mmCIF file of all heavy atoms in Angstrom:
data_model
loop_
_atom_site.group_PDB
_atom_site.id
_atom_site.type_symbol
_atom_site.label_atom_id
_atom_site.label_comp_id
_atom_site.label_asym_id
_atom_site.label_seq_id
_atom_site.Cartn_x
_atom_site.Cartn_y
_atom_site.Cartn_z
ATOM 1 N N GLU C 1 132.784 134.615 68.851
ATOM 2 C CA GLU C 1 132.128 133.352 69.166
ATOM 3 C C GLU C 1 131.999 133.157 70.678
ATOM 4 O O GLU C 1 132.929 133.534 71.403
ATOM 5 C CB GLU C 1 132.940 132.222 68.538
ATOM 6 C CG GLU C 1 132.207 130.877 68.489
ATOM 7 C CD GLU C 1 132.978 129.880 67.647
ATOM 8 O OE1 GLU C 1 134.235 129.789 67.797
ATOM 9 O OE2 GLU C 1 132.357 129.203 66.855
ATOM 10 N N VAL C 2 130.879 132.648 71.104
ATOM 11 C CA VAL C 2 130.655 132.395 72.487
ATOM 12 C C VAL C 2 130.495 130.846 72.651
ATOM 13 O O VAL C 2 129.694 130.230 71.927
ATOM 14 C CB VAL C 2 129.326 133.058 72.938
ATOM 15 C CG1 VAL C 2 128.961 132.702 74.362
ATOM 16 C CG2 VAL C 2 129.454 134.584 72.763
ATOM 17 N N ILE C 3 131.270 130.258 73.556
ATOM 18 C CA ILE C 3 131.272 128.792 73.701
ATOM 19 C C ILE C 3 131.072 128.434 75.176
ATOM 20 O O ILE C 3 131.730 128.960 76.078
ATOM 21 C CB ILE C 3 132.600 128.203 73.233
ATOM 22 C CG1 ILE C 3 132.842 128.578 71.731
ATOM 23 C CG2 ILE C 3 132.609 126.689 73.422
ATOM 24 C CD1 ILE C 3 134.221 128.199 71.220
ATOM 25 N N GLN C 4 130.127 127.522 75.397
ATOM 26 C CA GLN C 4 129.868 126.949 76.687
ATOM 27 C C GLN C 4 130.250 125.464 76.616
ATOM 28 O O GLN C 4 130.081 124.853 75.557
ATOM 29 C CB GLN C 4 128.357 127.092 76.993
ATOM 30 C CG GLN C 4 127.957 126.846 78.388
ATOM 31 C CD GLN C 4 128.158 128.046 79.277
ATOM 32 O OE1 GLN C 4 128.781 129.000 78.944
ATOM 33 N NE2 GLN C 4 127.557 127.977 80.429
ATOM 34 N N VAL C 5 130.781 124.903 77.659
ATOM 35 C CA VAL C 5 131.191 123.493 77.685
ATOM 36 C C VAL C 5 130.576 122.767 78.856
ATOM 37 O O VAL C 5 130.558 123.263 79.973
ATOM 38 C CB VAL C 5 132.734 123.386 77.767
ATOM 39 C CG1 VAL C 5 133.148 121.898 77.781
ATOM 40 C CG2 VAL C 5 133.414 124.136 76.656
ATOM 41 N N ALA C 6 130.008 121.602 78.537
ATOM 42 C CA ALA C 6 129.419 120.709 79.601
ATOM 43 C C ALA C 6 129.638 119.273 79.175
ATOM 44 O O ALA C 6 129.506 118.963 77.990
ATOM 45 C CB ALA C 6 127.916 121.014 79.722
ATOM 46 N N LYS C 7 129.915 118.433 80.119
ATOM 47 C CA LYS C 7 130.094 117.000 79.803
ATOM 48 C C LYS C 7 128.842 116.471 79.119
ATOM 49 O O LYS C 7 128.919 115.819 78.077
ATOM 50 C CB LYS C 7 130.420 116.182 81.064
ATOM 51 C CG LYS C 7 130.589 114.721 80.785
ATOM 52 C CD LYS C 7 131.096 113.980 82.009
ATOM 53 C CE LYS C 7 131.115 112.489 81.841
ATOM 54 N NZ LYS C 7 131.912 111.980 80.765
ATOM 55 N N ASN C 8 127.700 116.712 79.695
ATOM 56 C CA ASN C 8 126.440 116.357 79.081
ATOM 57 C C ASN C 8 125.338 117.296 79.631
ATOM 58 O O ASN C 8 125.559 117.989 80.607
ATOM 59 C CB ASN C 8 126.057 114.898 79.306
ATOM 60 C CG ASN C 8 125.752 114.572 80.759
ATOM 61 O OD1 ASN C 8 124.849 115.151 81.333
ATOM 62 N ND2 ASN C 8 126.564 113.724 81.360
ATOM 63 N N ILE C 9 124.284 117.343 78.903
ATOM 64 C CA ILE C 9 123.147 118.162 79.315
ATOM 65 C C ILE C 9 121.885 117.308 79.434
ATOM 66 O O ILE C 9 120.783 117.731 79.111
ATOM 67 C CB ILE C 9 122.984 119.373 78.383
ATOM 68 C CG1 ILE C 9 122.840 118.907 76.911
ATOM 69 C CG2 ILE C 9 124.082 120.362 78.537
ATOM 70 C CD1 ILE C 9 122.503 120.023 75.970
ATOM 71 N N ASN C 10 122.064 116.085 79.933
ATOM 72 C CA ASN C 10 120.956 115.154 80.078
ATOM 73 C C ASN C 10 119.929 115.661 81.079
ATOM 74 O O ASN C 10 118.753 115.405 80.941
ATOM 75 C CB ASN C 10 121.493 113.782 80.452
ATOM 76 C CG ASN C 10 122.397 113.224 79.383
ATOM 77 O OD1 ASN C 10 122.290 113.576 78.218
ATOM 78 N ND2 ASN C 10 123.271 112.329 79.771
ATOM 79 N N SER C 11 120.371 116.289 82.160
ATOM 80 C CA SER C 11 119.499 116.832 83.161
ATOM 81 C C SER C 11 118.864 118.122 82.624
ATOM 82 O O SER C 11 119.554 118.978 82.109
ATOM 83 C CB SER C 11 120.282 117.099 84.440
ATOM 84 O OG SER C 11 119.644 118.054 85.259
ATOM 85 N N ILE C 12 117.558 118.217 82.821
ATOM 86 C CA ILE C 12 116.895 119.481 82.368
ATOM 87 C C ILE C 12 117.431 120.720 83.081
ATOM 88 O O ILE C 12 117.535 121.772 82.530
ATOM 89 C CB ILE C 12 115.345 119.326 82.495
ATOM 90 C CG1 ILE C 12 114.660 120.534 81.805
ATOM 91 C CG2 ILE C 12 114.922 119.280 83.974
ATOM 92 C CD1 ILE C 12 114.779 120.536 80.320
ATOM 93 N N THR C 13 117.836 120.494 84.349
ATOM 94 C CA THR C 13 118.407 121.614 85.115
ATOM 95 C C THR C 13 119.754 122.058 84.501
ATOM 96 O O THR C 13 119.990 123.244 84.357
ATOM 97 C CB THR C 13 118.642 121.182 86.583
ATOM 98 O OG1 THR C 13 117.379 120.763 87.146
ATOM 99 C CG2 THR C 13 119.193 122.302 87.427
ATOM 100 N N THR C 14 120.550 121.115 84.153
ATOM 101 C CA THR C 14 121.861 121.412 83.523
ATOM 102 C C THR C 14 121.661 122.060 82.162
ATOM 103 O O THR C 14 122.292 123.086 81.833
ATOM 104 C CB THR C 14 122.712 120.155 83.381
ATOM 105 O OG1 THR C 14 122.887 119.560 84.666
ATOM 106 C CG2 THR C 14 124.075 120.469 82.761
ATOM 107 N N LYS C 15 120.769 121.510 81.377
ATOM 108 C CA LYS C 15 120.522 122.048 80.048
ATOM 109 C C LYS C 15 120.020 123.494 80.135
ATOM 110 O O LYS C 15 120.508 124.356 79.413
ATOM 111 C CB LYS C 15 119.498 121.145 79.317
ATOM 112 C CG LYS C 15 119.290 121.570 77.869
ATOM 113 C CD LYS C 15 118.387 120.539 77.160
ATOM 114 C CE LYS C 15 118.275 120.877 75.680
ATOM 115 N NZ LYS C 15 117.451 119.854 74.992
ATOM 116 N N ARG C 16 119.059 123.718 81.033
ATOM 117 C CA ARG C 16 118.515 125.075 81.207
ATOM 118 C C ARG C 16 119.629 126.048 81.663
ATOM 119 O O ARG C 16 119.720 127.166 81.170
ATOM 120 C CB ARG C 16 117.419 125.054 82.212
ATOM 121 C CG ARG C 16 116.632 126.327 82.304
ATOM 122 C CD ARG C 16 115.405 126.227 83.237
ATOM 123 N NE ARG C 16 114.502 125.217 82.726
ATOM 124 C CZ ARG C 16 113.872 124.288 83.500
ATOM 125 N NH1 ARG C 16 114.132 124.254 84.807
ATOM 126 N NH2 ARG C 16 113.078 123.406 82.994
ATOM 127 N N ARG C 17 120.488 125.622 82.603
ATOM 128 C CA ARG C 17 121.558 126.483 83.094
ATOM 129 C C ARG C 17 122.520 126.838 81.959
ATOM 130 O O ARG C 17 122.930 128.001 81.798
ATOM 131 C CB ARG C 17 122.288 125.777 84.240
ATOM 132 C CG ARG C 17 123.425 126.633 84.799
ATOM 133 C CD ARG C 17 124.208 125.922 85.856
ATOM 134 N NE ARG C 17 124.980 124.818 85.280
ATOM 135 C CZ ARG C 17 124.865 123.541 85.638
ATOM 136 N NH1 ARG C 17 124.058 123.131 86.597
ATOM 137 N NH2 ARG C 17 125.591 122.606 85.062
ATOM 138 N N GLU C 18 122.928 125.851 81.180
ATOM 139 C CA GLU C 18 123.853 126.094 80.075
ATOM 140 C C GLU C 18 123.259 126.994 79.010
ATOM 141 O O GLU C 18 123.920 127.938 78.540
ATOM 142 C CB GLU C 18 124.311 124.754 79.492
ATOM 143 C CG GLU C 18 125.027 123.836 80.400
ATOM 144 C CD GLU C 18 126.339 124.414 80.964
ATOM 145 O OE1 GLU C 18 127.010 125.205 80.277
ATOM 146 O OE2 GLU C 18 126.707 124.019 82.119
ATOM 147 N N ILE C 19 122.025 126.765 78.657
ATOM 148 C CA ILE C 19 121.357 127.617 77.644
ATOM 149 C C ILE C 19 121.187 129.035 78.154
ATOM 150 O O ILE C 19 121.482 129.998 77.445
ATOM 151 C CB ILE C 19 120.011 126.974 77.243
ATOM 152 C CG1 ILE C 19 120.278 125.690 76.430
ATOM 153 C CG2 ILE C 19 119.164 127.959 76.456
ATOM 154 C CD1 ILE C 19 119.039 124.888 76.172
ATOM 155 N N ASN C 20 120.714 129.184 79.383
ATOM 156 C CA ASN C 20 120.513 130.518 79.937
ATOM 157 C C ASN C 20 121.825 131.275 80.030
ATOM 158 O O ASN C 20 121.902 132.480 79.784
ATOM 159 C CB ASN C 20 119.815 130.447 81.303
ATOM 160 C CG ASN C 20 118.360 130.077 81.189
ATOM 161 O OD1 ASN C 20 117.755 130.218 80.126
ATOM 162 N ND2 ASN C 20 117.783 129.571 82.272
ATOM 163 N N GLY C 21 122.888 130.589 80.414
ATOM 164 C CA GLY C 21 124.216 131.228 80.498
ATOM 165 C C GLY C 21 124.680 131.766 79.190
ATOM 166 O O GLY C 21 125.200 132.882 79.062
ATOM 167 N N ILE C 22 124.517 130.939 78.151
ATOM 168 C CA ILE C 22 125.014 131.386 76.831
ATOM 169 C C ILE C 22 124.092 132.462 76.287
ATOM 170 O O ILE C 22 124.557 133.438 75.640
ATOM 171 C CB ILE C 22 125.180 130.189 75.869
ATOM 172 C CG1 ILE C 22 126.191 130.537 74.792
ATOM 173 C CG2 ILE C 22 123.875 129.747 75.273
ATOM 174 C CD1 ILE C 22 126.714 129.373 74.022
ATOM 175 N N LEU C 23 122.758 132.386 76.507
ATOM 176 C CA LEU C 23 121.852 133.428 76.027
ATOM 177 C C LEU C 23 122.165 134.785 76.693
ATOM 178 O O LEU C 23 122.161 135.816 76.011
ATOM 179 C CB LEU C 23 120.406 133.030 76.294
ATOM 180 C CG LEU C 23 119.789 132.007 75.367
ATOM 181 C CD1 LEU C 23 118.396 131.576 75.846
ATOM 182 C CD2 LEU C 23 119.734 132.514 73.929
ATOM 183 N N GLU C 24 122.468 134.772 77.945
ATOM 184 C CA GLU C 24 122.803 135.996 78.655
ATOM 185 C C GLU C 24 124.049 136.623 78.034
ATOM 186 O O GLU C 24 124.096 137.843 77.785
ATOM 187 C CB GLU C 24 123.043 135.700 80.136
ATOM 188 C CG GLU C 24 123.338 136.931 80.957
ATOM 189 C CD GLU C 24 123.524 136.589 82.424
ATOM 190 O OE1 GLU C 24 122.799 135.687 82.947
ATOM 191 O OE2 GLU C 24 124.384 137.217 83.039
ATOM 192 N N THR C 25 125.053 135.805 77.749
ATOM 193 C CA THR C 25 126.309 136.341 77.140
ATOM 194 C C THR C 25 126.012 136.868 75.753
ATOM 195 O O THR C 25 126.513 137.924 75.354
ATOM 196 C CB THR C 25 127.370 135.251 77.135
ATOM 197 O OG1 THR C 25 127.569 134.775 78.454
ATOM 198 C CG2 THR C 25 128.661 135.790 76.557
ATOM 199 N N LEU C 26 125.249 136.121 74.951
ATOM 200 C CA LEU C 26 124.879 136.569 73.608
ATOM 201 C C LEU C 26 124.155 137.931 73.629
ATOM 202 O O LEU C 26 124.487 138.811 72.852
ATOM 203 C CB LEU C 26 123.999 135.536 72.886
ATOM 204 C CG LEU C 26 124.689 134.233 72.504
ATOM 205 C CD1 LEU C 26 123.672 133.227 71.975
ATOM 206 C CD2 LEU C 26 125.796 134.469 71.463
ATOM 207 N N GLU C 27 123.258 138.069 74.577
ATOM 208 C CA GLU C 27 122.540 139.348 74.717
ATOM 209 C C GLU C 27 123.501 140.498 75.054
ATOM 210 O O GLU C 27 123.454 141.539 74.436
ATOM 211 C CB GLU C 27 121.468 139.237 75.861
ATOM 212 C CG GLU C 27 120.255 138.438 75.460
ATOM 213 C CD GLU C 27 119.306 139.186 74.509
ATOM 214 O OE1 GLU C 27 119.293 140.433 74.533
ATOM 215 O OE2 GLU C 27 118.634 138.504 73.760
ATOM 216 N N GLN C 28 124.401 140.264 76.030
ATOM 217 C CA GLN C 28 125.335 141.302 76.466
ATOM 218 C C GLN C 28 126.242 141.724 75.329
ATOM 219 O O GLN C 28 126.583 142.893 75.213
ATOM 220 C CB GLN C 28 126.150 140.816 77.651
ATOM 221 C CG GLN C 28 125.360 140.715 78.919
ATOM 222 C CD GLN C 28 126.210 140.139 80.062
ATOM 223 O OE1 GLN C 28 127.383 139.808 79.902
ATOM 224 N NE2 GLN C 28 125.575 139.980 81.221
ATOM 225 N N LEU C 29 126.663 140.751 74.502
ATOM 226 C CA LEU C 29 127.638 141.031 73.449
ATOM 227 C C LEU C 29 126.993 141.344 72.106
ATOM 228 O O LEU C 29 127.639 141.588 71.115
ATOM 229 C CB LEU C 29 128.610 139.843 73.290
ATOM 230 C CG LEU C 29 129.477 139.562 74.522
ATOM 231 C CD1 LEU C 29 130.281 138.283 74.293
ATOM 232 C CD2 LEU C 29 130.392 140.744 74.812
#
């Protein structure tokens, strides 16, 4: 399991960063 944690993802910049980070890890693994 891959888990990312963020207080909120209300900002499009934050949401994009969190999603891209988890997608990169999913791809690698």
